[in-house]
Each structure stands twice: as C-alpha cells, then as structure tokens.
Amino acid sequence: PTLFRSAWVVRDGFDLGVGASDAKQNDVMSFLRLRVDADLTDNVSVVVRLLNERTWGDVDNGTTTDNTDINVDLAYVEMREMLYSPLTVTIGRQVLSYGNGLILGDGPNNETTGPLSTVSPDLSKVSGIDAIKAVLDYDPLTVDIFAAVIDDGNAGMRTQDKTDDTNLYGINVNYAFNDEKGTVAEAYFFSKVIGLSAGESDYDTVQTPGFRVSSNVLDGLMLSGELAWQFGRNTVLAGTDSIERNAMAAQLIANYMIPFEKTKKYNPMVTTAYTYLSGDSNPSDSAAGEDSIKYSAWDPMYESQGCGKIYNALFDLTNAHIYSVALSAEVMQDVMAKLSWTGLWLDKKLPLATWQPLNMYIDGVRTTTYAVNTDKKALGNEFDLDLTYDYTEDVVLSLSTGIYLPGSVFADANEDAATQAILSVLVNF
C-alpha cells in the first residue's frame, strides 16, 4: 500500500556526553512511499514504489541529495509459473526479508547513504535491494534462491577490473508443517562477497548458514529459536592478508498471550527475547595474519532488528548479549500501549580505551569516539514506552519514548543518558 508518515523526532544526548556540549535533535520528517502495481497478464506483474524521505525545512538533508528527490525504492517484474507451475521469478529492486530479520530484514539497516544518512539513518524506510530471485513453491515446502548486487563499485566501461563490487547470494528453505501448532522450520545459507580495491589479495567473504524454528507450543505461547554461524575470510581488517572468520549468533523469542479472564479484554501479551552475537577479544591481533588467529566478531549483515530503539541507533548488532522483556495491552478501545526493557552486555571486553561503534552523525559529521573501560561488559539498559491510537482504519497516531542509561563499559565522560521521543501520524491508503 501507499504510505505517508510524518514524524516529530526529538533526541537528546546520543553522544552520551562525549562532546563539549550536549547533542540534541529536534526535527520534523516526512516519509512518502507511493506504490503502483500492474498485472500485465495472469502470470506477469510489475511493481514500482517511489520513496521520498525529507526533513522539513532542510533543503538537502545535510547531504548532496536534494530534499525533494524521489528515489525508486522498488521496481521489479514478477513472472509466475515460469517454465513450469511451481516457479516464480522476480527481477529488479525488491525486498529480501527472511525469518525475524536477524540476517536479512526489510532493507539495509542503518545505511550510510540516502537522504537521511547524516540525520537519522536508523529511521530510514529504504527497503529495496537489486536482485534476481527464484521461488519454488512445493507447498508446504518453499525454496527461495537469489543473487543481489549491493554495491556495483566501478560501473560502466572502465580499465579497472570489477573486484570492487559487493554482492549477496542466498538460498532459504521454508517448511510449514501445517499442524495445529503452526510449526514452521527454515534453513538458509547467505553469502556476502565484498570486492576490495586494487592491491588487495583476496575478497572479503561472509558465509552465513543457519536455521530457525517457530511453533505455538501451548495455547497462547509462541516460541521461536534461531542459530547461525559465520565463516569465510576477513580481508578488510587484515589488509593485504586475510584471516578466517569464525562467528556465531543465536536468538530465542517467546510471545505469551496472558490468559486470565479478568484481563482478557485488554489482550495483554508478554514478549521476551534473548540474542547472542559473538565478539572478538582483540580484533587488532587479527591483522597479524597468523593462521592460528580467527576473527570471531559477528557481521551484522543486513539485519532489521531493534528498529526505532536508541541502542539500535548507537551500536552495531555484534559482540553482545541482548535481553528484552515487553508487556503490551489494549489499555482502551483502539489504544495500544507497550512497555519494554532491553539490557545489553558485551560478549567480549573492548580491547582499546576508545570506541566508535556506528555511523552516528552530529552536526553532519560522524561522532567522535567514546571513552570506555576495557575491564567491563555492562553496555547499558534501555526503557521504552510506545503508544498507538487507531484513529481510523487507515490512520494511526503513535508516540514512542525511550531512555538509554549507559553501563559500566563507558567511562565517566560518557555516562550521560540518551533520550528520544517520536510523535508520528501514519496513513496507509
């Protein structure tokens, strides 16, 4: 559907006190996604979705991209029953999203390009990836196979070779058991291949196999578990040499609809989640290129988790133990409230007393590094309150508030709390 969203974003202290003065944001943003679908024949359809993201009153959003530019977010042709009936082929700019978005979600997360790249990149609605995808539907078994170009590097007719591309390949096998518990199992293998500049001896590769299972094990209780590994070669860190990757991620999610008769009218639900993402004790050791050294930090790939949270804007999804608990309920007719807590701990202690975890921009410039304690692991706690009001069937008003309290990992200079409030109106039509 076509989507319009206007949001008032107020953020304070996202530098955690590292700057000489407190970093603040007070902007109104608009997002417009206009989608057009056309069925050319019974088995051929075309989808185009245009996207405009802009900050009110900011001509260029702090970038070279004009405020009024319209970007092509989706543009693909879908051919069903191609060659034979189970096969559907999709070619063009499309969404590649699987499972809970731990590996591949709804578009590149915290992207560093586009209209909001130096404003609030974590709020961007960019979703499309240029790819060709084949889907084999053998109900209840579905197999997705795709190849995508993330960055073409030096495009066109050039004397340089094409070793500077970033490509993504994958296969995802999903099986729905069609039992009374709604059990679904999927296995996948995703491969990210990063071409490097002239003079490097190898590609940087991230090979990610994994599997996920979800089931309603009891009435009102849904459990989901995912486990993934990463291997390949890290050439970016090691320079002209490459070192072996050996990383791991795991996630457990439980959703429980509280069954008490007295609270039934509020539709209360408790959601708990635990996410593990391996870290590396000292990445600088890996630059030595010794065979015995392996790079064990998890590569976030193109995840889409933690969207809208403060910690998602501050940190990469790696080297962490993340615990969360959320309680949601319909507090009155058409009004939903959700109160959540997220606790974050490092998997491996930081090797250096300074740390720059993510592309976070202040005054259009990437933020300076944080001062940290190398003997601590407590990254911090975040508390959020989200309210949504279904004004009509098509219009939703929402308020999202949160506070992030830095943990003992941060030195005294970086112990200030970060807060945010996002008031928005969303229209689907």
Side-chain angles (χ1 to χ4, degrees):
T2 295
L3 174 149
F4 170 79
R5 182 186 182 211
S6 188
W8 179 22
V9 180
V10 178
R11 289 176 161 178
D12 188 12
F14 271 44
D15 60 351
L16 306 182
V18 69
S21 59
D22 194 17
K24 299 178 183 292
Q25 180 178 8
N26 189 338
D27 295 313
V28 181
M29 303 177 187
S30 287
F31 307 82
L32 175 63
R33 294 199 307 199
L34 179 61
R35 174 167 170 158
V36 178
D37 294 60
D39 291 327
L40 306 182
T41 67
D42 290 341
N43 291 327
V44 179
S45 59
V46 175
V47 173
V48 175
R49 189 170 72 189
L50 305 179
L51 172 66
N52 173 254
E53 299 179 324
R54 63 189 185 91
T55 305
W56 287 15
D58 187 4
V59 175
D60 59 4
N61 281 338
T63 71
T64 57
T65 302
D66 192 81
N67 200 329
T68 58
D69 279 1
I70 302 295
N71 299 314
V72 179
D73 189 39
L74 298 180
Y76 63 83
V77 58
E78 183 179 84
M79 295 170 284
R80 297 172 292 276
E81 298 185 9
M82 186 177 182
L83 302 181
Y84 77 126
S85 58
L87 176 63
T88 296
V89 176
T90 305
I91 302 174
R93 193 164 183 81
Q94 58 190 284
V95 174
L96 297 176
S97 182
Y98 296 99
N100 294 316
L102 179 64
I103 314 297
L104 290 181
D106 186 8
N109 192 35
N110 289 324
E111 60 169 347
T112 58
T113 61
L116 299 184
S117 61
T118 60
V119 181
S120 293
D122 61 304
L123 301 180
S124 173
K125 298 299 181 183
V126 173
S127 298
I129 295 177
D130 296 311
I132 178 170
K133 179 178 66 176
V135 178
L136 296 167
D137 188 356
Y138 302 111
D139 187 30
L141 177 69
T142 304
V143 180
D144 288 28
I145 304 172
F146 66 84
V149 178
I150 306 299
D151 186 350
D152 188 51
N154 290 318
M157 189 177 298
R158 294 174 177 266
T159 58
Q160 302 98 324
D161 59 23
K162 294 291 292 178
T163 59
D164 59 348
D165 295 354
T166 298
N167 298 319
L168 178 67
Y169 310 94
I171 179 171
N172 188 89
V173 180
N174 183 292
Y175 187 84
F177 288 83
N178 293 326
D179 58 356
E180 61 182 10
K181 297 181 180 180
T183 305
V184 175
E186 65 179 330
Y188 52 80
F189 185 92
F190 303 128
S191 174
K192 180 171 68 171
V193 181
I194 305 173
L196 303 172
S197 59
E200 303 290 1
S201 62
D202 203 355
Y203 286 91
D204 187 277
T205 58
V206 185
Q207 317 292 357
T208 308
F211 65 89
R212 185 184 72 92
V213 178
S214 64
S215 180
N216 295 299
V217 295
L218 297 173
D219 186 24
L221 177 61
M222 190 282 290
L223 295 180
S224 175
E226 186 167 355
L227 188 63
W229 300 265
Q230 283 182 345
F231 60 94
R233 307 295 297 183
N234 185 319
T235 308
V236 174
L237 183 66
T240 56
D241 296 316
S242 65
I243 53 176
E244 185 178 348
R245 293 180 182 271
N246 183 19
M248 178 181 175
Q251 187 170 72
L252 296 173
I253 301 175
N255 295 315
Y256 182 54
M257 298 289 296
I258 299 176
F260 303 125
E261 190 64 31
K262 291 184 178 180
T263 61
K264 186 176 181 180
K265 65 178 181 179
Y266 301 109
N267 295 317
M269 183 171 69
V270 175
T271 301
T272 62
Y274 166 70
T275 304
Y276 165 70
L277 308 146
S278 63
D280 195 282
S281 58
N282 194 346
S284 62
D285 287 346
S286 303
E290 297 180 12
D291 293 338
S292 60
I293 296 176
K294 295 183 179 181
Y295 183 68
S296 58
W298 178 258
D299 187 306
M301 294 285 286
Y302 303 103
E303 54 85 18
S304 63
Q305 298 198 335
C307 298
K309 303 292 187 182
I310 297 175
Y311 76 84
N312 177 64
L314 297 179
F315 312 122
D316 290 310
L317 196 69
T318 185
N319 187 24
H321 297 267
I322 305 174
Y323 301 85
S324 66
V325 178
L327 172 63
S328 61
E330 187 175 359
V331 293
M332 61 180 66
Q333 185 176 358
D334 298 326
V335 178
M336 288 293 297
K338 184 171 80 169
L339 181 65
S340 58
W341 162 80
T342 305
L344 302 99
W345 284 262
L346 293 174
D347 176 45
K348 299 290 177 59
K349 296 176 182 178
L350 299 173
L352 303 175
T354 57
W355 184 36
Q356 190 176 61
L358 197 61
N359 287 325
M360 238 275 292
Y361 287 84
I362 298 174
D363 293 330
V365 180
R366 186 174 178 179
T367 183
T368 53
T369 54
Y370 298 122
V372 296
N373 298 309
T374 58
D375 60 339
K376 304 295 183 181
K377 284 190 173 183
L379 197 54
N381 294 275
E382 179 168 346
F383 300 89
D384 297 279
L385 174 62
D386 299 289
L387 300 172
T388 58
Y389 171 45
D390 293 334
Y391 180 69
T392 68
E393 291 184 356
D394 303 314
V395 180
V396 178
L397 306 177
S398 64
L399 173 65
S400 178
T401 61
I403 181 171
Y404 172 80
L405 305 175
S408 58
V409 164
F410 295 95
D412 293 343
N414 301 132
E415 60 181 5
D416 293 356
T419 61
Q420 76 173 6
I422 303 175
L423 179 64
S424 65
V425 55
L426 174 66
V427 183
N428 285 296
F429 57 98

